[in-house]
Every structure is written in C-alpha cells, then in structure tokens.
Amino acid sequence: MLIASILILPRIYYVEHFASPLPFWDQWDSEWLGLLKPWMNGNWEAKLLLAPHNEHRIVPTRILTLLIFNMAGEWNNLVEARTNIPLSALSPAILLGALLKTDDLGYVKWLTVVIVLLGASLPFSWENFLIGFQSQFYFMNLFTVSALFLSAYHSDKTWATVCIVAVSILSTLTVASGLLTPASVIILVLIKGYNESRLSASSLTLVGILLAIAILAYGTIPPTPTHKMLHARSVQEFFQTIFHLMGWPLRGSNPFHAVLWIPGAVIVTLLFIRRQFTRIDLLFAGCMAWSAMQIIALAYARGNNLTYHMPPRYTEVLLLGLAGNSWFVLKIPSLTRTQRQRAAGWMLLTIFHVAVIFTYIQRGVLDFRILEEERLRRLTQAENVCRYMSTHEYAAIEKTGTQIPYPDPKRFQLILDDPDLKRAFNFDNLCRSY
C-alpha cells in the first residue's frame, strides 16, 4: 500500500496543481481534428486509429482518447492527464513486484527499489504527465516491461508466448521506437537460452515471430521528411548524444558521465560468460538492452542539439535502463573472490547510488521550479484563449512562443472558430476565472 501511494500520490499532486484543461500543441491536430471531430460528425473510420502522427502510429493513445471523451462527455486535457496517472504507475509496479518477491541480494536490493520509486515519483518527465496525449510513452513502457517480465519468468508457457507476441505488436503501435520492444525480447530469449544451454523450438519460433514484427514495424514507419533536420548531423554528434543520454541523470553534457553504464555492462557480460543469470537478472538485462537501443535510436533520430537539451518526455525511456544498471551494480560484491575486491565492489556500488540519488533529488528540485513556470504558461495560454473566445479579436491570440497552446496563430483561429469545438470543449468552465 505504501509503495502504491508513492507511485500514485506524487502524480496526482503534479496533475492537480500544474496541469490545465486546455489541450496543448499536437493535441489540436492529432486529437481534435484527426480523431474527435470526425467522431462527433459521424465521419469517423477505424483507419483513423492507424493514421500517422509524424513518424509514429499511436493506436492505444487514440483508443484511450475516444474512451475518455465518450465517458467524460467532453474533450479535456485535465481529464486525460488524470486517467494517465494509474497507467504511468503500472511499469514501475511490475519492476517493484519482481524486486520485492526475489530473494536475490537480500536487503541490498532496496537500493534499486529506491531508484525505481524515485524515478517514478519525481517530476523528471513533467511533459508527459501534464499533457494527456503523452500516454503513448506509458503504453510503450507498460508493453515493454510486460513482455520482458513474461519472457524472463514464464516464456515456457504457451499463454505467456501469446501475450508476449500480443504486447510486442501493441508496442509497435505506440510510437516508432516501439519496434524495439520485440527486439529487446529477442535479446532476452537468446540470453536465457544460452544461460540454460538450450534453445527450444518454441523459443526459436518466438524469436522468428518477434523478428518479423520488428522488421514489419520498421518497414512501415511513416516517412517524415520535415524531421530530417532533427537527425544527428555527424558521427561525432551521434556518439556525443549517446554518451550524454547514457549519463543521465548526471547534469551537464560531459561524455565522461556515460561511465554510469560501464559497471552494469561489465556485470551483464560476466554473468553471460558464467551462465549465472537468475530470472530477475534476465528482466533487468532486458530493461538495459531496451534502454540502450532507445538511446541509440534517439541519438540518430533526434541527435541535432539533443546533447544540450533533452525534452523531459524522453526520460521515460531512460529510467528502465538506470534501474537495470542499479541492479547489476549491486551484484558486484557477490561476484568478487577476494576481500579487497569485495571492498572495492561495495565502494563502487555506494558511489553509484549516492551519485544517482543525489542527482535525482537535485533534478527534482529544479523540475519543481520548471513546473511552476509551466503552470504560469498554461494560465497565460488559457487567458489568451478566453480573451479571444469572448472578443473574437485576432490580437488576443496573435502571440509568439508558448503564449498560446498552438504554434500557428492563424490556423489556431480557424480551430477555435469551429462550432463543433464549442460542443466538444467546455470553454465556459475554462474561462470562468478570466
């Protein structure tokens, strides 16, 4: 109960204090124009669920949006953000469940529990919990952790294999990098087969199916020529971005921060050579593999300037890898052979966890300040929108930056003037204070 509260209550606080009912940025095009307006007008078709959003397919997010809209009776970002709260807690809950049930590492495992809890409760990914549309990250993480957990603990069961295939397919329909879910499961299944000195026919079949899913998902990624400017511009920038992301949550862009991943990678390699993986080791090895591939994908697709500024939404894909690194760093003393090596191992794991936890807290304090700034921006946006809705003067929304919740004021005016929108969104409630 205590752990559930730690996962849920901070998100409730963030949403209630900092989120706004007013939709933001991509929500106007993807949710309203591309989904809810056709639904209201009777022009909706199932193929709209598969319509590209940039280079992504976001089917579960669109289904959730339709469900919320029909249950709430209105389009409201705050309602969506509230709905995302339990969804966001499911992935860390699975990891915590595995940690609490294992006998591996004894009391030391609580350091990884702390890493997972802090990662799930501090406001690193504020962009995701303020905007209901960002449920796509929560779905991808949930499908990934579920697939890895089933592969590590129940891959010999037919029902689990079916579920693994199902959630892997669903993951490819969350965001473009969802195709890395079946890829990470393939890695886990192969490690498990090597660890047990056997790879059954059913495991090989599963690998083949997952490989086909990943290839098909990659081959059907919608082309987005306008996003090419976001790609890494050079090999140097590509690797700089990888090192920067591997060093998160350490602050700054020092490539040396990537050393955070070295101890975990060394221990995974050692366990692989010795064939000493336990089931929970396999789970966290899968988490590390998935995050590592996500980092590489981000460095390629968003490497331009990502070294200097990482949007908070991307922290969701780093938390699993950091939890995995924490787990394997904790195993170092148990794998040493001499007292001196054991002492060095304890020192290393202490330095690792003190550095991560200290930086977590430091970042959390800074992110609270950013959240307050975001709250003021949302208030400004609502005030400008409400002024326009009462006066219909274009000057009210002819603003730059994030003073309005849409990048193009003229197009935004056309959206706001849509009579269907007034039936879908309750402007009276929004504007009562202005």
Side-chain angles (χ1 to χ4, degrees), residues 214-273:
I215 292 173
L216 179 62
Y218 180 79
T220 55
I221 292 177
T224 313
T226 56
H227 279 195
K228 287 186 177 180
M229 64 180 181
L230 302 175
H231 291 189
R233 295 166 296 183
S234 65
V235 173
Q236 180 182 4
E237 187 173 57
F238 173 68
F239 282 103
Q240 283 179 340
T241 305
I242 288 176
F243 295 148
H244 173 57
L245 294 177
M246 290 177 70
W248 190 91
L250 301 182
R251 298 178 62 202
S253 56
N254 190 334
F256 179 74
H257 292 167
V259 299
L260 272 180
W261 277 68
I262 292 177
V266 169
I267 297 305
V268 168
T269 303
L270 183 62
L271 292 175
F272 180 80
I273 293 171

Side-chain angles (χ1 to χ4, degrees), residues 289-340:
W290 182 78
S291 279
M293 290 188 290
Q294 289 285 350
I295 287 172
I296 294 170
L298 277 172
Y300 170 74
R302 297 292 186 269
N304 188 350
N305 291 327
L306 197 60
T307 300
Y308 307 102
H309 171 68
M310 185 184 74
R313 61 184 176 272
Y314 295 142
T315 60
E316 298 287 354
V317 303
L318 303 178
L319 292 171
L320 296 186
L322 196 61
N325 275 285
S326 167
W327 174 258
F328 288 111
V329 168
L330 293 180
K331 293 185 75 79
I332 292 175
S334 64
L335 297 173
T336 54
R337 295 176 178 175
T338 67
Q339 188 172 356
R340 181 175 294 180

Side-chain angles (χ1 to χ4, degrees), residues 107-183:
Y107 68 90
V108 183
K109 71 182 181 184
W110 284 93
L111 283 171
T112 300
V113 170
V114 170
I115 294 295
V116 174
L117 284 174
L118 288 177
S121 58
L122 290 173
F124 305 130
S125 60
W126 55 263
E127 195 173 19
N128 292 342
F129 55 72
L130 293 186
I131 304 171
F133 181 68
Q134 297 299 110
S135 63
Q136 52 206 260
F137 283 95
Y138 300 137
F139 278 118
M140 179 174 63
N141 280 15
L142 173 60
F143 297 146
T144 298
V145 174
S146 299
L148 293 173
F149 178 83
L150 290 171
S151 301
Y153 285 81
H154 303 290
S155 62
D156 56 331
K157 298 179 176 64
T158 302
W159 65 266
T161 300
V162 173
C163 290
I164 291 167
V165 171
V167 295
S168 293
I169 293 172
L170 287 172
S171 189
T172 66
L173 300 174
T174 55
V175 296
S177 63
L179 65 88
L180 298 177
T181 298

Side-chain angles (χ1 to χ4, degrees), residues 191-428:
I191 292 176
K192 186 176 183 181
Y194 178 81
N195 190 64
E196 297 173 353
S197 300
R198 67 182 184 87
L199 197 60
S200 64
S202 59
S203 295
L204 288 173
T205 301
L206 176 60
V207 167
I209 293 172
L210 294 175
L211 183 60
I213 292 170
I215 292 173
L216 179 62
Y218 180 79
T220 55
I221 292 177
T224 313
T226 56
H227 279 195
K228 287 186 177 180
M229 64 180 181
L230 302 175
H231 291 189
R233 295 166 296 183
S234 65
V235 173
Q236 180 182 4
E237 187 173 57
F238 173 68
F239 282 103
Q240 283 179 340
T241 305
I242 288 176
F243 295 148
H244 173 57
L245 294 177
M246 290 177 70
W248 190 91
L250 301 182
R251 298 178 62 202
S253 56
N254 190 334
F256 179 74
H257 292 167
V259 299
L260 272 180
W261 277 68
I262 292 177
V266 169
I267 297 305
V268 168
T269 303
L270 183 62
L271 292 175
F272 180 80
I273 293 171
R274 295 183 180 181
R275 304 189 185 196
Q276 292 180 344
F277 281 101
T278 64
R279 290 187 299 179
I280 195 168
D281 290 338
L282 290 169
L283 172 60
F284 280 116
C287 289
M288 282 184 62
W290 182 78
S291 279
M293 290 188 290
Q294 289 285 350
I295 287 172
I296 294 170
L298 277 172
Y300 170 74
R302 297 292 186 269
N304 188 350
N305 291 327
L306 197 60
T307 300
Y308 307 102
H309 171 68
M310 185 184 74
R313 61 184 176 272
Y314 295 142
T315 60
E316 298 287 354
V317 303
L318 303 178
L319 292 171
L320 296 186
L322 196 61
N325 275 285
S326 167
W327 174 258
F328 288 111
V329 168
L330 293 180
K331 293 185 75 79
I332 292 175
S334 64
L335 297 173
T336 54
R337 295 176 178 175
T338 67
Q339 188 172 356
R340 181 175 294 180
Q341 290 174 345
R342 192 169 297 110
W346 279 104
M347 182 179 296
L348 180 58
L349 77 82
T350 301
I351 292 172
F352 177 94
H353 287 88
V354 168
V356 171
I357 292 172
F358 175 79
T359 313
Y360 262 9
I361 295 171
Q362 189 180 40
R363 278 187 176 271
V365 172
L366 295 175
D367 285 339
F368 267 107
R369 297 175 187 170
I370 294 173
L371 278 172
E372 184 58 34
E373 294 171 1
E374 285 297 314
R375 186 184 70 84
L376 296 176
R377 288 192 189 98
R378 299 293 192 271
L379 291 173
T380 299
Q381 292 164 8
E383 185 176 355
N384 289 330
V385 167
C386 290
R387 186 178 296 116
Y388 175 79
M389 297 306 293
S390 62
T391 66
H392 289 281
E393 295 178 357
Y394 178 62
I397 57 171
E398 191 180 12
K399 308 292 183 180
T400 59
T402 57
Q403 295 182 72
I404 59 172
Y406 193 78
D408 182 348
K410 286 191 174 295
R411 179 169 168 79
F412 191 43
Q413 182 181 33
L414 295 176
I415 294 173
L416 292 177
D417 287 342
D418 186 346
D420 289 334
L421 179 63
K422 297 179 179 65
R423 293 193 294 122
F425 185 85
N426 194 330
F427 285 99
D428 290 339

